[in-house]
Amino acid sequence: MSRAEQPIVLGIETSCDETGVGLVRGHTLLADTIASSMDEHARFGGVVPEVASRAHLEAMTPTVESALSKAGLSWKDVDAVAVTAGPGLAGALLVGVAAAKAYAMGLGVPLYGVNHLAAHVAVDQLEHGPLPRPAIALLVSGGHSSLLLVPDVAREVVSLGSTVDDAAGEAFDKVARVLGLPFPGGPHIDRAAREGSETAIGFPRGKVDDGTLDFSFSGLKTAVARYVEANPQVSVPDVAASFQEAVVDVLTRKALQACAEHGVEDLLIGGGVAANSRLRALAAERCAAAGVRLRVPRPGLCTDNGAMVAALGSSLLAAGATPSSLDIPADSSLPITTVALTG
Ligand code: KG4
Ligand code: ZN
């Protein structure tokens, strides 16, 4: 180990369009560097897998070097390498996994192939310290919307419910398209909604009272598209605010339902949609009323990044988890219950 202190973990994230490299010591963030290929995808209205893979390949070495230099570290300081092994785009994941294997082998340090979704949960420790055990996690991103019971993020994550159709972020992106806003739509809807009224239009709340912890957003997306078609002169801010309210109303209600059903008093929200200002505000309000403690990482740590992967790697190391072998695959559909590919 480089110092008498906690080990330094290098984290690599390439599951989608972001080449993220993070460096942490224990749960202290040392560097978080991101190269995004989003500009290359924007004109297609979505991430093009082949373009993303090529961009990762080009960005990998410079991004790692930039992270090391920002942290004032050199290669010999790195004690372990963690990498997103899934879920995500197969070709994009492969670039990160291959690089991480090479770095781990070259440095003679352990490798941890980790779950992207568990990493979205683990990242909060960099900002708010060790996660309460157990915690409920609401994970809302472009590809996933899940409610999780997290007894220990390094060992066990239990799925309580998930979307039966679109992910929350996907709904934001699709509705943004209907409204003529750029991709990815979440931040644009968030901004537009600030000028609108969330009660202007009563959009449907899918599955809100069905007793399950599952979500559904495709009916809402269709309702918005129909509304805009029927009302071409509509106020974009009003539609954005009303749509956003329907999403965050359901997300927060179901998250608190999960806390109540499982007798858990700590809720964590993670993933790209956790950057949404109205979700953060409504969750704070409703958690306070329900006596639930809320943790949401700052917006830059909610969207994909390398620090989250390093944070989970650090937790695995601290828990004494068996490192991954050098022949682990990139698993595009890695289930959330598999926190890491150990052994
Ligand atoms: O976690 P993430 O960066 O990548 C995935 O793993 O999917 O999440 C990206 C998603 C996109 O759908 C994007 O529109 C959404 O997060 N997003 C937001 C906001 N910022 C990003 N959605 C709503 N409000 C935001 N402020
Ligand atoms: Zn993500």
Side-chain angles (χ1 to χ4, degrees):
M1 201 171 294
S2 48
R3 314 215 176 165
E5 304 164 38
Q6 289 169 300
I8 290 175
V9 181
L10 171 75
I12 296 176
E13 154 62 32
T14 64
S15 69
C16 193
D17 60 302
E18 245 78 79
T19 312
V21 177
L23 281 158
V24 305
R25 179 191 286 120
H27 284 140
T28 305
L29 179 60
L30 304 176
D32 183 21
T33 308
I34 290 172
S36 174
S37 57
M38 186 48 78
D39 291 351
E40 295 171 57
H41 306 290
R43 71 194 168 100
F44 299 106
V47 174
V48 184
E50 289 79 6
V51 173
S53 308
R54 185 172 295 266
H56 286 309
L57 211 51
E58 286 166 6
M60 181 56 62
T61 310
T63 312
V64 171
E65 281 170 356
S66 149
L68 282 168
S69 116
K70 271 188 199 152
L73 297 173
S74 68
W75 280 111
K76 65 175 173 16
D77 297 311
V78 174
D79 299 300
V81 178
V83 61
T84 300
L89 302 171
L93 288 167
L94 263 179
V95 178
V97 169
K101 286 177 182 175
Y103 290 137
M105 194 156 87
L107 294 169
V109 300
L111 171 74
Y112 293 92
V114 309
N115 189 306
H116 179 84
L117 307 177
H120 269 305
V121 174
V123 72
D124 187 63
Q125 300 177 108
L126 301 178
E127 205 174 355
H128 300 119
L131 282 174
R133 296 180 193 172
I136 294 288
L138 168 67
L139 191 67
V140 272
S141 72
H144 298 269
S145 295
S146 298
L147 270 166
L148 310 168
L149 173 66
V150 187
D152 177 351
V153 72
R155 292 191 171 90
E156 191 188 6
V157 173
V158 180
S159 175
L160 302 176
S162 60
T163 181
V164 297
D165 41 57
D166 292 350
E170 196 180 348
F172 270 94
D173 296 339
K174 288 178 176 169
V175 164
R177 194 172 189 157
V178 166
L179 293 177
L181 299 171
F183 177 83
H188 296 282
I189 290 194
D190 196 343
R191 223 168 293 131
R194 284 177 207 157
E195 314 297 321
S197 158
E198 71 263 18
T199 54
I201 310 147
F203 286 128
R205 268 82 167 142
K207 295 183 81 61
V208 75
D209 286 321
D210 71 346
T212 74
L213 292 170
D214 290 332
F215 304 104
S216 168
F217 296 111
S218 93
L220 168 62
K221 170 196 70 190
T222 307
V224 175
R226 290 226 179 97
Y227 185 89
V228 172
E229 214 175 79
N231 303 275
Q233 301 306 319
V234 74
S235 142
V236 168
D238 279 349
V239 177
S242 302
F243 157 75
Q244 177 175 272
E245 195 66 15
V247 175
V248 305
D249 178 26
V250 177
L251 290 177
T252 50
R253 277 209 239 173
K254 293 245 172 178
L256 284 167
Q257 183 189 333
C259 291
E261 282 176 16
H262 292 269
V264 175
E265 290 177 346
D266 289 277
L267 172 67
L268 172 110
I269 310 184
V273 180
N276 183 267
S277 61
R278 180 63 185 144
L279 174 58
R280 298 169 82 96
L282 189 62
E285 202 179 287
R286 289 186 173 171
C287 282
V292 167
R293 289 176 292 268
L294 175 67
R295 296 162 61 118
V296 197
R298 63 181 153 81
L301 291 179
C302 289
T303 44
D304 289 351
N305 62 80
M308 66 192 222
V309 179
L312 180 52
S314 195
S315 294
L316 287 160
L317 205 60
T322 312
S324 305
S325 68
L326 284 173
D327 62 359
I328 53 161
D331 185 347
S332 60
S333 51
L334 189 67
I336 177 60
T337 42
T338 305
V339 171
L341 297 175
T342 52

